[in-house]
Amino acid sequence: MGAEGRAGADDRAAAGQAAGGEGASGLSARDEAVLAVERRSWPGPGPKERAIRERLGMSPTRYYQLLNALLDDPRALAHDPVTVNRLRRVREARRARR
């Protein structure tokens, strides 16, 4: 399956999990859905923000608050180490520029 096929599967899983409950990783379904959205490559902020509102039912501000908290959660690191480590590096680079 190509990258776009995996992204579509991730989106469907995120939409299905956004309703609640806890996944096998110990994270809530909402937390896993947030990581799934972040894992995907986006052409720009508009489509991503639209997907956040439509698929997760939350504002982009709330999404980024949850995402930032997830970056410090060891369960999130265990669930998706590539995404979490990439986002931690981005966050640290932004902090270093301040």
Side-chain angles (χ1 to χ4, degrees):
M1 182 180 304
E4 288 187 26
R6 281 192 305 275
D10 287 343
D11 290 343
R12 286 188 295 279
Q17 292 175 351
E22 190 171 301
S25 65
L27 293 173
S28 71
R30 180 193 64 190
D31 291 345
E32 288 183 8
V34 167
L35 290 172
V37 168
E38 200 58 37
R39 185 180 313 121
R40 182 170 172 197
S41 175
W42 297 94
K48 183 176 181 180
E49 289 181 6
R50 197 166 25 262
I52 290 166
R53 290 184 188 282
E54 292 172 1
R55 296 179 183 152
L56 301 178
M58 66 180 74
S59 72
T61 300
R62 181 66 181 140
Y63 169 86
Y64 286 110
Q65 290 170 341
L66 291 171
L67 178 62
N68 194 48
L70 279 171
L71 297 184
D72 297 322
D73 189 333
R75 295 172 301 173
L77 180 62
H79 175 73
D80 192 348
V82 172
T83 301
V84 171
N85 282 325
R86 175 178 56 84
L87 294 171
R88 284 179 175 179
R89 285 190 305 270
V90 169
R91 182 174 67 178
E92 290 305 315
R94 285 185 182 144
R95 285 180 179 168
R97 286 191 300 245
R98 292 183 188 172

